[in-house]
Short mmCIF file of all heavy atoms in Angstrom, two decimals:
data_model
loop_
_atom_site.label_atom_id
_atom_site.label_comp_id
_atom_site.label_asym_id
_atom_site.label_seq_id
_atom_site.Cartn_x
_atom_site.Cartn_y
_atom_site.Cartn_z
N THR S 113 -34.27 25.00 -1.18
CA THR S 113 -34.68 24.67 -2.55
C THR S 113 -34.46 25.84 -3.50
O THR S 113 -34.39 25.65 -4.71
CB THR S 113 -36.16 24.24 -2.61
OG1 THR S 113 -36.93 25.30 -2.03
CG2 THR S 113 -36.41 22.96 -1.85
N HIS S 295 -20.43 17.98 -8.08
CA HIS S 295 -21.81 18.22 -8.49
C HIS S 295 -22.35 19.46 -7.80
O HIS S 295 -23.41 19.45 -7.21
CB HIS S 295 -22.68 16.99 -8.21
CG HIS S 295 -23.78 16.82 -9.19
ND1 HIS S 295 -25.08 16.61 -8.84
CD2 HIS S 295 -23.77 16.87 -10.55
CE1 HIS S 295 -25.82 16.52 -9.94
NE2 HIS S 295 -25.04 16.67 -10.98
N ASN S 298 -24.46 20.33 -3.70
CA ASN S 298 -25.27 19.25 -3.10
C ASN S 298 -25.06 19.21 -1.57
O ASN S 298 -24.23 19.96 -1.04
CB ASN S 298 -24.85 17.92 -3.72
CG ASN S 298 -23.36 17.73 -3.58
OD1 ASN S 298 -22.87 17.29 -2.55
ND2 ASN S 298 -22.60 18.13 -4.60
N LEU S 325 -22.77 12.55 2.96
CA LEU S 325 -22.94 11.73 1.75
C LEU S 325 -23.58 10.38 2.05
O LEU S 325 -24.24 9.78 1.21
CB LEU S 325 -21.57 11.50 1.09
CG LEU S 325 -21.59 10.78 -0.25
CD1 LEU S 325 -22.07 11.70 -1.36
CD2 LEU S 325 -20.21 10.22 -0.61
N PRO S 328 -29.21 7.77 2.53
CA PRO S 328 -29.79 7.17 1.33
C PRO S 328 -30.40 8.19 0.36
O PRO S 328 -30.57 7.88 -0.82
CB PRO S 328 -30.87 6.23 1.87
CG PRO S 328 -31.14 6.68 3.26
CD PRO S 328 -29.88 7.33 3.76
N ALA S 329 -30.70 9.40 0.83
CA ALA S 329 -31.23 10.41 -0.11
C ALA S 329 -30.09 10.98 -0.96
O ALA S 329 -30.32 11.64 -1.97
CB ALA S 329 -31.93 11.53 0.65
N HIS S 330 -28.85 10.74 -0.53
CA HIS S 330 -27.67 11.30 -1.24
C HIS S 330 -26.82 10.11 -1.73
O HIS S 330 -27.33 9.25 -2.44
CB HIS S 330 -26.94 12.21 -0.23
CG HIS S 330 -25.90 13.13 -0.79
ND1 HIS S 330 -25.64 13.26 -2.13
CD2 HIS S 330 -25.05 14.00 -0.17
CE1 HIS S 330 -24.67 14.15 -2.31
NE2 HIS S 330 -24.29 14.61 -1.12
N GLY S 331 -25.56 10.04 -1.36
CA GLY S 331 -24.67 9.01 -1.92
C GLY S 331 -25.03 7.60 -1.51
O GLY S 331 -24.69 6.63 -2.20
N GLY S 332 -25.73 7.47 -0.38
CA GLY S 332 -26.13 6.14 0.08
C GLY S 332 -27.13 5.48 -0.86
O GLY S 332 -27.46 4.30 -0.71
N ALA S 333 -27.63 6.25 -1.86
CA ALA S 333 -28.63 5.70 -2.78
C ALA S 333 -28.05 4.56 -3.63
O ALA S 333 -28.78 3.64 -3.99
CB ALA S 333 -29.18 6.80 -3.68
N VAL S 337 -30.07 1.24 -4.04
CA VAL S 337 -30.61 0.76 -5.33
C VAL S 337 -30.42 -0.76 -5.43
O VAL S 337 -31.34 -1.50 -5.78
CB VAL S 337 -29.90 1.44 -6.53
CG1 VAL S 337 -30.24 0.74 -7.84
CG2 VAL S 337 -30.28 2.91 -6.62
N ALA S 357 -44.13 3.19 -4.63
CA ALA S 357 -43.40 4.46 -4.75
C ALA S 357 -44.36 5.63 -4.93
O ALA S 357 -44.08 6.76 -4.52
CB ALA S 357 -42.41 4.39 -5.91
N LYS S 358 -45.54 5.33 -5.54
CA LYS S 358 -46.50 6.40 -5.81
C LYS S 358 -47.42 6.67 -4.62
O LYS S 358 -48.10 7.68 -4.58
CB LYS S 358 -47.36 6.03 -7.03
CG LYS S 358 -46.51 5.93 -8.28
CD LYS S 358 -47.26 5.71 -9.58
CE LYS S 358 -48.37 4.75 -9.66
NZ LYS S 358 -48.78 4.41 -11.01
N LYS S 360 -48.53 7.82 -1.24
CA LYS S 360 -48.05 8.84 -0.27
C LYS S 360 -48.02 8.30 1.17
O LYS S 360 -47.36 8.87 2.04
CB LYS S 360 -48.92 10.10 -0.32
CG LYS S 360 -48.73 10.92 -1.56
CD LYS S 360 -47.39 11.70 -1.53
CE LYS S 360 -46.88 11.95 -2.93
NZ LYS S 360 -45.56 11.54 -3.26
N PHE S 364 -41.74 4.16 0.96
CA PHE S 364 -40.86 3.62 -0.09
C PHE S 364 -40.73 4.59 -1.26
O PHE S 364 -41.72 5.16 -1.73
CB PHE S 364 -41.41 2.28 -0.58
CG PHE S 364 -40.64 1.71 -1.73
CD1 PHE S 364 -39.43 1.05 -1.53
CD2 PHE S 364 -41.11 1.85 -3.04
CE1 PHE S 364 -38.70 0.55 -2.60
CE2 PHE S 364 -40.39 1.35 -4.12
CZ PHE S 364 -39.19 0.70 -3.90
N ARG S 365 -39.52 4.78 -1.74
CA ARG S 365 -39.26 5.56 -2.95
C ARG S 365 -38.44 4.72 -3.90
O ARG S 365 -37.68 3.85 -3.46
CB ARG S 365 -38.45 6.81 -2.62
CG ARG S 365 -39.28 7.88 -1.97
CD ARG S 365 -38.50 9.14 -1.74
NE ARG S 365 -39.44 10.21 -1.43
CZ ARG S 365 -39.19 11.50 -1.60
NH1 ARG S 365 -38.04 11.90 -2.05
NH2 ARG S 365 -40.11 12.40 -1.29
N LEU S 366 -38.55 4.99 -5.18
CA LEU S 366 -37.65 4.30 -6.12
C LEU S 366 -36.27 4.87 -5.92
O LEU S 366 -36.03 6.04 -6.23
CB LEU S 366 -38.08 4.56 -7.55
CG LEU S 366 -39.18 3.72 -8.17
CD1 LEU S 366 -39.16 3.89 -9.67
CD2 LEU S 366 -39.07 2.25 -7.79
N MET S 367 -35.36 4.07 -5.42
CA MET S 367 -34.00 4.57 -5.19
C MET S 367 -33.29 4.70 -6.53
O MET S 367 -33.51 3.90 -7.44
CB MET S 367 -33.24 3.63 -4.24
CG MET S 367 -33.88 3.51 -2.87
SD MET S 367 -34.43 5.08 -2.16
CE MET S 367 -32.88 5.80 -1.65
N GLY S 368 -32.44 5.74 -6.62
CA GLY S 368 -31.77 5.98 -7.90
C GLY S 368 -32.64 6.75 -8.87
O GLY S 368 -32.31 6.88 -10.04
N PHE S 369 -33.78 7.24 -8.38
CA PHE S 369 -34.70 8.01 -9.21
C PHE S 369 -34.96 9.37 -8.59
O PHE S 369 -35.13 9.48 -7.38
CB PHE S 369 -36.05 7.28 -9.34
CG PHE S 369 -36.23 6.64 -10.68
CD1 PHE S 369 -35.61 5.43 -10.95
CD2 PHE S 369 -37.00 7.24 -11.66
CE1 PHE S 369 -35.76 4.83 -12.18
CE2 PHE S 369 -37.16 6.64 -12.90
CZ PHE S 369 -36.54 5.43 -13.16
N GLY S 370 -35.03 10.40 -9.42
CA GLY S 370 -35.36 11.74 -8.95
C GLY S 370 -34.12 12.51 -8.56
O GLY S 370 -33.07 11.94 -8.24
N HIS S 371 -34.23 13.82 -8.62
CA HIS S 371 -33.11 14.68 -8.27
C HIS S 371 -33.63 16.09 -7.99
O HIS S 371 -34.57 16.53 -8.62
CB HIS S 371 -32.09 14.73 -9.43
CG HIS S 371 -30.76 15.23 -9.00
ND1 HIS S 371 -30.46 16.56 -8.96
CD2 HIS S 371 -29.67 14.57 -8.57
CE1 HIS S 371 -29.22 16.70 -8.52
NE2 HIS S 371 -28.72 15.50 -8.26
N ARG S 372 -32.99 16.75 -7.02
CA ARG S 372 -33.40 18.12 -6.71
C ARG S 372 -33.22 19.06 -7.89
O ARG S 372 -34.05 19.93 -8.14
CB ARG S 372 -32.59 18.62 -5.50
CG ARG S 372 -32.76 20.09 -5.16
CD ARG S 372 -34.16 20.45 -4.73
NE ARG S 372 -34.60 19.82 -3.51
CZ ARG S 372 -34.25 20.18 -2.27
NH1 ARG S 372 -33.45 21.21 -2.09
NH2 ARG S 372 -34.73 19.54 -1.23
N VAL S 373 -32.18 18.88 -8.65
CA VAL S 373 -31.88 19.84 -9.73
C VAL S 373 -32.27 19.31 -11.11
O VAL S 373 -32.84 20.03 -11.93
CB VAL S 373 -30.39 20.24 -9.72
CG1 VAL S 373 -30.11 21.32 -10.76
CG2 VAL S 373 -29.96 20.73 -8.33
N LYS S 375 -34.43 17.87 -13.79
CA LYS S 375 -35.81 17.54 -14.10
C LYS S 375 -35.81 16.93 -15.50
O LYS S 375 -36.69 17.16 -16.33
CB LYS S 375 -36.70 18.80 -14.02
CG LYS S 375 -36.68 19.45 -12.64
CD LYS S 375 -37.15 18.49 -11.51
CE LYS S 375 -36.75 18.99 -10.13
NZ LYS S 375 -36.77 17.94 -9.10
N ASP S 378 -30.51 12.43 -15.90
CA ASP S 378 -29.20 12.79 -15.34
C ASP S 378 -28.13 12.36 -16.36
O ASP S 378 -28.04 11.18 -16.70
CB ASP S 378 -29.04 12.03 -14.00
CG ASP S 378 -27.73 12.30 -13.28
OD1 ASP S 378 -26.75 12.69 -13.93
OD2 ASP S 378 -27.70 12.08 -12.05
N ARG S 380 -25.13 11.85 -16.17
CA ARG S 380 -24.19 10.86 -15.64
C ARG S 380 -24.78 9.46 -15.73
O ARG S 380 -24.06 8.47 -15.92
CB ARG S 380 -23.85 11.20 -14.18
CG ARG S 380 -23.26 12.57 -14.01
CD ARG S 380 -23.23 12.98 -12.56
NE ARG S 380 -24.55 13.02 -11.95
CZ ARG S 380 -24.79 13.24 -10.65
NH1 ARG S 380 -23.79 13.42 -9.83
NH2 ARG S 380 -26.02 13.27 -10.19
N TYR S 418 -47.12 9.34 -13.15
CA TYR S 418 -46.60 9.88 -11.88
C TYR S 418 -45.16 10.35 -12.07
O TYR S 418 -44.81 11.48 -11.72
CB TYR S 418 -46.67 8.78 -10.81
CG TYR S 418 -46.00 9.15 -9.48
CD1 TYR S 418 -46.76 9.70 -8.44
CD2 TYR S 418 -44.64 8.94 -9.26
CE1 TYR S 418 -46.16 10.02 -7.22
CE2 TYR S 418 -44.04 9.26 -8.06
CZ TYR S 418 -44.80 9.80 -7.04
OH TYR S 418 -44.21 10.14 -5.85
N PHE S 419 -44.32 9.51 -12.64
CA PHE S 419 -42.89 9.85 -12.80
C PHE S 419 -42.71 10.88 -13.90
O PHE S 419 -41.86 11.76 -13.80
CB PHE S 419 -42.07 8.58 -13.08
CG PHE S 419 -42.03 7.66 -11.89
CD1 PHE S 419 -43.00 6.66 -11.72
CD2 PHE S 419 -41.07 7.81 -10.91
CE1 PHE S 419 -42.99 5.84 -10.61
CE2 PHE S 419 -41.06 6.98 -9.79
CZ PHE S 419 -42.02 5.99 -9.64
N LYS S 422 -43.89 14.36 -12.49
CA LYS S 422 -42.97 14.90 -11.47
C LYS S 422 -41.54 15.00 -12.00
O LYS S 422 -40.63 15.40 -11.26
CB LYS S 422 -42.99 14.01 -10.22
CG LYS S 422 -44.32 14.04 -9.48
CD LYS S 422 -44.21 13.31 -8.15
CE LYS S 422 -45.56 13.10 -7.49
NZ LYS S 422 -46.28 14.34 -7.19
N LEU S 424 -39.32 12.69 -12.79
CA LEU S 424 -38.39 11.83 -12.04
C LEU S 424 -37.71 10.88 -13.02
O LEU S 424 -38.36 10.06 -13.66
CB LEU S 424 -39.15 11.03 -10.97
CG LEU S 424 -39.90 11.87 -9.92
CD1 LEU S 424 -40.82 10.98 -9.09
CD2 LEU S 424 -38.91 12.60 -9.02
N ASN S 427 -31.02 8.68 -11.77
CA ASN S 427 -29.88 9.54 -11.46
C ASN S 427 -28.59 8.70 -11.46
O ASN S 427 -28.62 7.50 -11.74
CB ASN S 427 -30.11 10.29 -10.13
CG ASN S 427 -30.32 9.34 -8.96
OD1 ASN S 427 -29.53 8.41 -8.77
ND2 ASN S 427 -31.37 9.57 -8.18
N VAL S 428 -27.49 9.35 -11.09
CA VAL S 428 -26.16 8.71 -11.20
C VAL S 428 -26.08 7.39 -10.44
O VAL S 428 -25.32 6.49 -10.80
CB VAL S 428 -25.07 9.69 -10.71
CG1 VAL S 428 -25.17 9.94 -9.21
CG2 VAL S 428 -23.66 9.24 -11.07
N ASP S 429 -26.88 7.26 -9.39
CA ASP S 429 -26.78 6.07 -8.53
C ASP S 429 -27.51 4.86 -9.09
O ASP S 429 -27.40 3.77 -8.54
CB ASP S 429 -27.33 6.39 -7.13
CG ASP S 429 -26.48 7.41 -6.42
OD1 ASP S 429 -25.25 7.27 -6.46
OD2 ASP S 429 -27.03 8.36 -5.84
N PHE S 450 -18.09 6.40 -3.90
CA PHE S 450 -18.63 7.74 -4.20
C PHE S 450 -17.81 8.78 -3.42
O PHE S 450 -17.38 9.81 -3.96
CB PHE S 450 -20.11 7.76 -3.79
CG PHE S 450 -20.93 8.91 -4.32
CD1 PHE S 450 -22.30 8.75 -4.52
CD2 PHE S 450 -20.37 10.15 -4.60
CE1 PHE S 450 -23.09 9.80 -4.99
CE2 PHE S 450 -21.15 11.21 -5.08
CZ PHE S 450 -22.51 11.02 -5.27
N1 LIG O 141 -39.76 7.80 -5.86
C1 LIG O 141 -41.02 8.20 -5.73
N2 LIG O 141 -41.41 9.50 -5.62
C2 LIG O 141 -40.45 10.42 -5.62
C3 LIG O 141 -39.08 10.08 -5.74
C4 LIG O 141 -38.75 8.72 -5.86
N3 LIG O 141 -37.47 8.35 -5.98
N4 LIG O 141 -38.32 11.20 -5.70
C5 LIG O 141 -39.19 12.22 -5.56
N5 LIG O 141 -40.48 11.76 -5.51
C6 LIG O 141 -41.70 12.56 -5.42
C7 LIG O 141 -41.91 13.05 -3.99
O1 LIG O 141 -42.70 12.18 -3.26
C8 LIG O 141 -42.56 14.40 -4.22
O2 LIG O 141 -43.92 14.18 -4.49
P1 LIG O 141 -45.02 15.29 -4.04
O3 LIG O 141 -44.63 16.56 -4.75
O4 LIG O 141 -46.32 14.70 -4.49
O5 LIG O 141 -44.90 15.40 -2.54
C9 LIG O 141 -41.91 14.90 -5.52
O6 LIG O 141 -41.49 13.73 -6.22
C10 LIG O 141 -40.71 15.80 -5.29
O7 LIG O 141 -39.81 15.12 -4.41
P2 LIG O 141 -39.03 15.82 -3.22
O8 LIG O 141 -38.67 14.79 -2.21
O9 LIG O 141 -39.79 17.02 -2.76
O10 LIG O 141 -37.75 16.31 -4.04
P3 LIG O 141 -36.34 16.67 -3.42
O11 LIG O 141 -35.70 17.53 -4.42
O12 LIG O 141 -36.47 17.16 -2.03
O13 LIG O 141 -35.59 15.24 -3.35
C11 LIG O 141 -34.30 13.34 -3.89
C12 LIG O 141 -34.68 14.78 -4.27
C13 LIG O 141 -33.13 12.91 -4.76
C14 LIG O 141 -33.87 13.29 -2.42
C15 LIG O 141 -35.52 12.41 -4.15
O14 LIG O 141 -35.85 12.41 -5.51
C16 LIG O 141 -35.26 10.98 -3.64
O15 LIG O 141 -35.49 10.69 -2.47
N6 LIG O 141 -34.80 10.07 -4.55
C17 LIG O 141 -34.43 8.73 -4.15
C18 LIG O 141 -33.05 8.71 -3.52
C19 LIG O 141 -31.95 8.92 -4.55
O16 LIG O 141 -31.93 8.28 -5.60
N7 LIG O 141 -31.00 9.80 -4.21
C20 LIG O 141 -29.82 10.07 -5.05
C21 LIG O 141 -29.82 11.47 -5.58
S1 LIG O 141 -28.66 11.77 -6.91
C22 LIG O 141 -27.08 11.45 -6.30
C23 LIG O 141 -26.75 12.02 -4.99
O17 LIG O 141 -27.16 13.12 -4.60
O18 LIG O 141 -26.00 11.39 -4.27
#
Side-chain angles (χ1 to χ4, degrees):
T113 56
H295 212 229
N298 54 83
L325 186 75
H330 194 4
V337 168
K358 296 186 317 194
K360 288 286 152 234
F364 175 79
R365 284 184 166 203
L366 277 196
M367 300 315 285
F369 255 79
H371 198 274
R372 172 64 64 78
V373 184
K375 301 301 164 199
D378 180 337
R380 302 167 300 174
Y418 173 94
F419 292 90
K422 293 188 190 300
L424 300 169
N427 60 49
V428 68
D429 294 315
F450 195 152

